Amino acid sequence: MAASEQAAPFVDAFPPAAEDQWRHKVETALKGAPLQKLVAKTYDGFEVQPLYPRAAGKPRAFRAGDWSIIARLDHPDDAAANELALTDLENGADGLQIVFAGSLGACGFGLTDAAALAGALKDIHLDAGLRVLLDLPADADAPVKALLDLAAARGYDPAKLDISFGLDPLGAAARSGAALDWTKAGAELAEQAKALAAIGFKTGLICADGRVVHAAGGSPGQELAFTLASALAAVRALEAAGVELDAARAMIDFRLAADADEFLTIAKFRALRRLWAGVERACGLEAKPIRLHGETAWRMMTRRDPWVNLLRATVAVFSAGLGGADSISVLPFTQALGLPDSFARRLARNTQLVLLEESNLGKVADPAAGAGGLEALTDELVGGGYALFQDIEKAGGLAKALAGGALQAEIAKTAAERAKNVARRKEPLTGASEFPDIHEKAVSVLLPAPATAAAPLPALAPHRAAEEFEALRDQAEASAARPRIFLANLGPVAAFTARATFAKNFFEAGGFEALGNDGFADVAALVAAFKASGAKLAVLCSSDAVYGEQGLETARALAAAGAHLYVAGRAGELEAQWRKAGVSDFVFVGADVLAQLREALRAA
């Protein structure tokens, strides 16, 4: 029997489903709610539909084979940095991200002295096919000179080195908020690039780096627009210095942040290639592949329950890889706590190794091609990112846009909207705002993270989304005794379990210990248990039906017993009666969790 005939019964067993059948099933599941309930909206303002038709598309062959696995070289002691880097290279990494203190990717650490570079790279053969990326501070001269001196001392042929120098004065100015005279800085950048090219380094001299926008809370479209404008500013500076356009574009590579939003990260990496290809064509050039590096995002990292960072990093690597990154570096899961040790670095390295060598993600060129949802998201980001890029160009280019402050203000607006969603847990952070583990065990780091102060505008200062929730946990744990809240579970188990679980999760996100129980049918017994608990706060948990029968009576009794009282659930039409009975506030899905937890800590 032919193979096609053998397969036929299986095809018949699963007839194709039409969209109207899907819609009927969804409408049944939504129980009368509109389908619009399933439509999400991005920070760039476009909608993400729940279902897309198949899209016409062909693989774009953006990368032939696996991406490069990049390990961070960021220990401030050169000997320790060297030992860690050698371990990474001996166990699967095929490149290094040399991080200097004060750079965008430093996360509080990095080499503090350019002279330490030689020691940090001892016994590491840069001409052995390694991909090397520099993460430079604002004053990049000394680190670049140190690397050139090392290459010369070792007799390296520049043509055999794969180095991304990462020169990025615009990114450094955006990060610090310092004023930048681009006429002067652009000319100096071009001369520095020409000097490197004269030595024999022809590619990867200047970096268009969108990570600064992502770390400051910006949207994917804003990150793409900034990156595109940075690259074009560099091309113009090079052209003004007499560099041919074809040679100028080869001197530029790109860096983006990859986070745990799988679909938008894939689309963002794909969109950048299309956007830059459009710029190349506008310059009269035939589009060529770019070198694109992805780094897992600092913004998504948490200090609390840091093990969840492993999952976030896995999704980020998966997304950057499928989106077309040529190289990827992973922030180890303890990065927000301090300088990661060898164990955390091994997990960061193995995250990529498993995805490449066991899942074989590098074997398909542009696997998102033709997928309706991903093609649509890519199109949206191309259109939105280009529109924002045009706004930057209308302002006179990236340097003038930064000098005017309007770009930073727009990014700040996006960051504020994001912070509001984090506070209300519309953008949940597992381990920090959702499902916290208040008894988590400490993990080891080589050095604790240094304290940092938030820089005001116009600086695009990096911050992590979890910081406000972590501050509440720190405040709770700094108390003489951990604050507690009594779960006033009223009625049978089936009546209170859902809201009691919600309330426990809600208050433990602020560091409270939630005192649970098996529930009470008798109000007097519930009040007695509250008094015996020694807690100052209580949250009444039950069903709407039980609230209607015993809620107000119970609230009055708990308030009379001295409880600072909450009710799990929305106030509804009885809010005035609830508050008259002694209820201070209500906890429910969509509430401002941060604001309520701050008030609860004051009351505790």
Side-chain angles (χ1 to χ4, degrees), residues 308-403:
V308 183
N309 291 328
L310 293 170
L311 303 179
R312 297 184 183 102
T314 300
V315 175
V317 172
F318 175 91
S319 305
L322 295 194
D326 297 291
S327 58
I328 302 174
S329 56
V330 174
L331 297 181
F333 79 105
T334 58
Q335 191 76 57
L337 288 163
L339 188 64
D341 62 10
S342 58
F343 173 69
R345 293 172 67 94
R346 177 165 66 89
L347 292 182
R349 183 176 67 244
N350 287 351
T351 296
Q352 299 202 57
L353 286 170
V354 169
L355 290 174
L356 282 174
E357 297 188 5
E358 296 188 22
S359 300
N360 294 305
L361 294 189
K363 303 307 180 190
V364 180
D366 197 5
L374 289 169
E375 291 285 14
L377 292 180
T378 303
D379 290 343
E380 291 281 7
L381 285 178
V382 168
Y386 192 74
L388 293 172
F389 163 69
Q390 287 179 308
D391 290 340
I392 294 172
E393 287 297 289
K394 290 174 185 176
L398 184 56
K400 289 186 178 179
L402 291 171

Side-chain angles (χ1 to χ4, degrees), residues 418-440:
R418 189 186 305 279
K420 181 179 177 181
N421 288 336
V422 168
R424 295 179 179 274
R425 300 200 297 194
K426 291 182 179 180
E427 190 171 313
L429 304 169
T430 303
S433 68
E434 291 271 26
F435 310 110
D437 179 6
I438 62 170
H439 301 297
E440 64 180 288

Side-chain angles (χ1 to χ4, degrees), residues 248-309:
R249 65 167 169 180
M251 294 179 177
I252 301 169
D253 59 14
F254 298 80
R255 298 179 190 178
L256 293 175
D259 62 29
D261 191 325
E262 176 186 344
F263 295 149
L264 280 178
T265 298
I266 293 173
K268 180 175 70 177
F269 276 70
R270 298 175 82 237
L272 180 62
R273 293 182 179 277
R274 286 176 51 185
L275 284 165
W276 184 244
V279 171
E280 289 177 305
R281 287 191 289 270
C283 292
L285 300 170
E286 182 180 349
K288 290 184 179 180
I290 61 173
R291 291 293 293 271
L292 175 56
H293 175 73
E295 180 182 74
T296 59
W298 172 246
R299 190 176 75 197
M300 71 179 181
M301 301 291 282
T302 64
R303 288 195 293 111
R304 297 294 181 167
D305 202 357
W307 299 99
V308 183
N309 291 328

